[in-house]
Amino acid sequence: MTDLTGKVAVVTGSSRGIGRAIAIRLGARGAQVVVNYAHGAQGAAETVAAIIAAGSDAVAVQADVSDPGQIEALFDAARSRFGGIDIVVANAGIDETGGPIVDVTEADYDRMFGVNAKGAFFTLQHAARTVNRGGSIVLIGSGSTSRPVAGFGLYASSKLVGNYLVGVLAQEIGEREVTVNTILASATDGAGYFSAGADNDELRTLVQNASPLGRMGSVDDVSDAVEFFIGPLSRWVSGAQLLVSGGQN
């Protein structure tokens, strides 16, 4: 178990799904957590409450990552509340396929890339500027970027941007002993398309049947990978892309 006592973490998009699970995990390990949200104030409050119940401290900060000014304000609020930042998990994103490329509009493109590409870029930039020496930066990417899939052209291409940036940042800030890594999460129960209450039984069955392990990934599976990347066992791992898919390529 990783001891994060005395550490400060910022987790974007942590009012629900994967981001919430990561924020709660970090809090349970002792970190003080900045819970970021764009629209889900109630969900963010629930995440904060769960972290406090686990024995740590947390605060919710609203910021839309498609706006670099709001990202800057998020990091300023984190430092104002807790001091230096040790861990940044860039999780916020739009989890929609986007459909066939021939049907994508400019508005669709701007919306998807505004969060998944631009948001990732400036979140990683601010993380690189502010994270303490010896800290960790983790980007939550998508397993859809590992191979072309019809209907995922818009979504997967928007997520590819962050993958490249992680490799570059690992080289640019490595001298500060900061590790920068990507988790390529596959279809995850309780997140995105598979959030609670979503009408997706047929798709859920297809995903489960395609898995060598016979199940979908869970938000805890992704949190496990984050805990590895921010812990002492991965201090020599940076610039990596870890496919968290249960063996499904």
Side-chain angles (χ1 to χ4, degrees):
M1 183 181 297
T2 306
D3 183 3
L4 300 178
T5 303
K7 302 293 186 181
V8 175
V10 175
V11 184
T12 64
S14 48
S15 64
R16 58 189 174 89
I18 290 173
R20 170 181 287 183
I22 293 169
I24 294 173
R25 173 70 65 87
L26 301 187
R29 298 295 183 259
Q32 298 170 304
V33 185
V34 177
V35 174
N36 162 249
Y37 68 100
H39 307 293
Q42 180 60 39
E46 292 169 0
T47 304
V48 168
I51 294 169
I52 293 174
S56 193
D57 195 8
V59 63
V61 178
Q62 183 176 21
D64 183 343
V65 300
S66 67
D67 180 348
Q70 293 190 42
I71 296 173
E72 182 176 6
L74 167 65
F75 279 83
D76 287 346
R79 287 182 291 177
S80 176
R81 175 64 180 265
F82 294 123
I85 299 169
D86 304 287
I87 300 161
V88 176
V89 182
N91 166 77
I94 296 174
D95 191 14
E96 300 171 1
T97 66
I101 290 175
V102 295
D103 294 333
V104 172
T105 66
E106 183 178 2
D108 294 333
Y109 179 95
D110 289 344
R111 175 172 173 265
M112 187 78 76
F113 271 74
V115 175
N116 292 354
K118 182 180 179 181
F121 184 98
F122 286 101
T123 299
L124 291 172
Q125 181 191 71
H126 280 281
R129 288 174 173 172
T130 60
V131 74
N132 290 333
R133 184 178 187 86
S136 303
I137 300 171
V138 181
L139 172 73
I140 305 302
S142 170
S144 66
T145 60
S146 63
R147 62 186 176 90
V149 177
F152 280 77
L154 177 60
Y155 171 72
S157 61
S158 72
K159 298 294 282 187
L160 272 168
V161 172
N163 296 354
Y164 184 83
L165 293 172
V166 161
V168 172
L169 268 187
Q171 298 181 42
E172 292 183 347
I173 63 175
E175 64 181 7
R176 287 168 37 214
E177 300 179 7
V178 175
T179 60
V180 192
N181 293 289
T182 306
I183 293 170
L184 304 180
S186 64
T188 303
D189 194 16
Y193 314 119
F194 301 99
S195 297
D199 183 14
N200 52 28
D201 290 344
E202 183 177 353
L203 182 56
R204 182 183 295 273
T205 299
L206 287 173
V207 172
Q208 291 173 340
N209 290 341
S211 169
L213 299 183
R215 69 172 178 84
M216 291 183 64
S218 71
V219 293
D220 286 334
D221 292 325
V222 181
S223 299
D224 288 342
V226 171
E227 186 172 347
F228 167 71
F229 274 138
I230 65 175
L233 296 179
S234 64
R235 294 315 305 171
W236 194 240
V237 181
S238 193
Q241 296 181 25
L242 177 62
L243 181 60
V244 179
S245 67
Q248 183 177 0
N249 296 319

